[in-house]
C-alpha cells in the first residue's frame, strides 16, 4: 500500500520552517489505517513484547491498536499533570519546544519487555526520553516503532543500540 498518499504535508506548522507531517488522513481511512497498524504489529510480534508504551498524544493513536492486536497491555506516557497517581517523570526537548512525560509508578515491572510506539520520529527527543523513563523502571526496551521517520534529524544515531521500525521515511 502507498502509505505516503495518506500523509498530508503542512508547511510552517506549528511554527515557521517546520513541515508538519499530518497523519489524520491515514487515520480517517479504515483500510489504510488498519494496514499501517498491521505492519507495526507484525514487527512487534517478533519482539515478544509484554507491553506497549505510547507517548501522548499521537503515540496513543498508533500504540493502542497495536496493543489490542497483540493482546498485550498499553501504558500511556502522559504530559505533565495528567496522571492521577504517583508517577515517574522526565523532561525533554523536541523539534518544536520542550515537554515533560510521566508514567504511573506501578505501570511497568522490572524485566518486562517493552515496545515504544509513536506516530513520528523527528529529533528523537521524545523517544530518548521515553526509553530513559521506561528503563528507570528496570524494564527492557526491545525496540521502537513509528509510522514516520524524518531522516534529516538523524535520530537513529541517538538510539543506535535499539531496533527501530518505521513505515515511511522523509
Ligand atoms: O522526535 P521528536 O523531535 O521528539 O518529535 C516527535 C514527537 O513530536 C510529536 O509529539 P508532540 O510532542 O508534538 O505531541 P502530540 O502527540 O501531543 O501532538 C510526535 O507525535 C512525537 O511524539
Ligand atoms: N515535522 C513534524 N510533523 C509532525 N509531527 C512532528 N513532531 C515533531 N516534528 C514533527
Amino acid at each position: 500500500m502507498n502509505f505516503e498518499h495518506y500523509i498530508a504535508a503542512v508547511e510552517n506548522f506549528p511554527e515557521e520552517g517546520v513541515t508538519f507531517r499530518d497523519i489524520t488522513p491515514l487515520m480517517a481511512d479504515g483500510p489504510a489505517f488498519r494496514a499501517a497498524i498491521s505492519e507495526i504489529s507484525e514487527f512487534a510480534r517478533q519482539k515478544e513484547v509484554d507491553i506497549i508504551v505510547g507517548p501522548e498524544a499521537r503515540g496513543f493513536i498508533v500504540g493502542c491498536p497495536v496493543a489490542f492486536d497483540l493482546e498485550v497491555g498499553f501504558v500511556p506516557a502522559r504530559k505533565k499533570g495528567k496522571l492521577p497517581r504517583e508517577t515517574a517523570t522526565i523532561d525533554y526537548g523536541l523539534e518544536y519546544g520542550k515537554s515533560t512525560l510521566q508514567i504511573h509508578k506501578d505501570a511497568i515491572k522490572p524485566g518486562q519487555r517493552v515496545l515504544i510506539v509513536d506516530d513520528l520520529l523527528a529529533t528523537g527527543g521524545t523517544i530518548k526520553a521515553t526509553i530513559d523513563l521506561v528503563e528507570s523502571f528496570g524494564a527492557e526496551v526491545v525496540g521502537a516503532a513509528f509510522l514516520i521517520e524524518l531522516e534529516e534529524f538523524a535520530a537513529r544515531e541517538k538510539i543506535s543500540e535499539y531496533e527501530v521500525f518505521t513505515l515511511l521515511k522523509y
Side-chain angles (χ1 to χ4, degrees):
M1 185 172 284
N2 179 15
F3 292 112
E4 206 169 328
H5 172 74
Y6 299 93
I7 306 298
V10 184
E11 299 302 334
N12 302 314
F13 183 89
E15 57 188 45
E16 200 67 27
V18 174
T19 302
F20 190 86
R21 305 289 172 181
D22 175 22
I23 63 164
T24 60
L26 176 72
M27 291 157 53
D29 186 291
F33 188 38
R34 189 184 176 115
I37 295 300
S38 294
E39 298 240 5
I40 295 182
S41 296
E42 207 172 297
F43 168 76
R45 251 180 222 107
Q46 295 160 21
K47 299 269 129 206
E48 297 179 356
V49 308
D50 295 315
I51 47 171
I52 305 284
V53 169
E56 183 171 351
R58 285 172 267 155
F60 301 172
I61 294 165
V62 183
C64 276
V66 174
F68 182 86
D69 230 8
L70 267 65
E71 221 176 308
V72 300
F74 177 85
V75 171
R78 295 215 63 179
K79 305 240 160 99
K80 195 175 179 163
K82 297 287 184 181
L83 289 172
R85 294 181 293 108
E86 204 186 346
T87 56
T89 299
I90 196 158
D91 298 317
Y92 65 101
L94 69 169
E95 188 184 2
Y96 37 78
K98 282 184 184 168
S99 197
T100 301
L101 282 176
Q102 299 183 315
I103 292 178
H104 271 143
K105 276 220 164 132
D106 61 2
I108 304 176
K109 305 280 177 284
Q112 280 193 308
R113 293 172 63 81
V114 176
L115 179 74
I116 301 169
V117 178
D118 202 354
D119 70 323
L120 182 142
L121 177 64
T123 64
T126 304
I127 187 63
K128 183 68 175 69
T130 311
I131 288 171
D132 290 347
L133 191 53
V134 168
E135 288 182 343
S136 75
F137 287 79
E140 185 187 351
V141 174
V142 297
F146 305 85
L147 296 173
I148 298 169
E149 175 178 0
L150 305 183
E151 290 184 302
E152 67 187 279
F153 296 105
R156 277 177 194 257
E157 287 171 16
K158 276 192 200 150
I159 49 168
S160 55
E161 63 269 45
Y162 300 91
E163 200 174 331
V164 176
F165 174 89
T166 55
L167 205 51
L168 277 175
K169 295 184 201 317
Y170 290 93

